[in-house]
Amino acid sequence: EVKLVESGGGLVQPGRSLKLSCAASGFNFNDYWMGWVRQAPGKGLEWIGEINKDSSTINYTPSLKDKFTISRDNAQNTLYLQMSKLGSEDTAIYYCARSLGADYWGQGVMVTVSS
Amino acid sequence: DVVMTQTPVSLPVSLGGQASISCRSSQSLVHSNGNTYLHWYLQKPGQSPQLLIYRVSNRFSGVPDRFSGSGSGTDFTLKISRVEPEDLGDYYCLQSTHFPRTFGGGTKLELK
């Protein structure tokens, strides 16, 4: 069974950083592109970016590029999202998803940016 | 960026009835490899999105045949026949032909 489990969310003060993790199981992690998507409260879905199998290609939605860094550790079957200089506009549920077609999603992790 | 315009925003339906959702892109979604990377998702209340249809018309594993996708180029449609209670929620289209990937704004399928 394909399983993606995000962790690392919570309450963070404006201007601070946070790193999310996505633990993958049930498939060969090394064989798939992975992506991050977020959803602000009551809003639609927003694609943050994606990383290819060996981390040689990482793409970000241009408006978010300066705030996020995506990485992965294939030995640990884990995807990461480093977030910096967070603002209230970054309050959202953050999802990891498998492949560019986002065929499987994690349950999401809430990040709340507030003082 | 490719803009995905999804209509309607809200779609009241009766159980057992049919629903149709449109997704239009600001440019063609045909990739240079000939494939069209347009996908449909359902997000039930309090849950993660789940893939229903990939590459325009292919039902994902376990998705009932009440769901069907069609279209080409810039104009795509998701149809749901014989709507059941578990079909209610927010529907999104996603294009992954072009970078950055972009979602439609969503359609809320609700009971009439």
Side-chain angles (χ1 to χ4, degrees), chain A:
Chain A
E1 178 197 4
V2 173
K3 202 168 180 185
L4 299 170
V5 179
E6 300 93 339
S7 61
L11 177 63
V12 59
Q13 292 181 326
R16 302 299 291 263
S17 299
L18 196 66
K19 188 171 186 176
L20 305 181
S21 301
C22 169
S25 60
F27 66 101
N28 192 346
F29 185 69
N30 297 7
D31 286 343
Y32 288 87
W33 286 67
M34 297 293 295
W36 285 98
V37 177
R38 71 177 181 179
Q39 186 172 37
K43 301 295 185 184
L45 301 168
E46 181 178 32
W47 191 275
I48 296 172
E50 68 227 21
I51 185 168
N52 73 341
K53 303 172 192 180
D54 63 3
S55 304
S56 60
T57 299
I58 306 174
N59 298 317
Y60 301 95
T61 291
S63 59
L64 304 177
K65 181 181 173 130
D66 293 336
K67 190 180 287 283
F68 297 107
T69 302
I70 297 173
S71 61
R72 65 191 294 164
D73 183 339
N74 286 346
Q76 298 293 323
N77 291 341
T78 303
L79 175 72
Y80 300 102
L81 181 68
Q82 176 72 51
M83 306 187 289
S84 63
K85 299 176 185 174
L86 288 165
S88 57
E89 69 278 8
D90 300 312
T91 292
I93 297 173
Y94 287 75
Y95 298 100
C96 61
R98 189 182 82 163
S99 83
L100 297 179
D103 54 0
Y104 287 94
W105 297 59
Q107 85 287 353
V109 64
M110 185 71 205
V111 173
T112 303
V113 184
S114 175
S115 54

Side-chain angles (χ1 to χ4, degrees), chain A residues 33 37 39 43-47 50 59-62 95 100-108, chain B residues 1 39 41 43 47-51 54 60-61 90 92 94 96 99-105:
Chain A
W33 286 67
V37 177
Q39 186 172 37
K43 301 295 185 184
L45 301 168
E46 181 178 32
W47 191 275
E50 68 227 21
N59 298 317
Y60 301 95
T61 291
Y95 298 100
L100 297 179
D103 54 0
Y104 287 94
W105 297 59
Q107 85 287 353
Chain B
D1 297 5
H39 322 291
Y41 302 84
Q43 185 175 32
Q47 294 187 20
S48 309
Q50 56 189 86
L51 179 64
Y54 64 96
F60 191 54
S61 175
D90 296 325
Y92 295 93
L94 165 69
S96 58
F99 188 78
R101 324 304 175 184
T102 44
F103 289 94

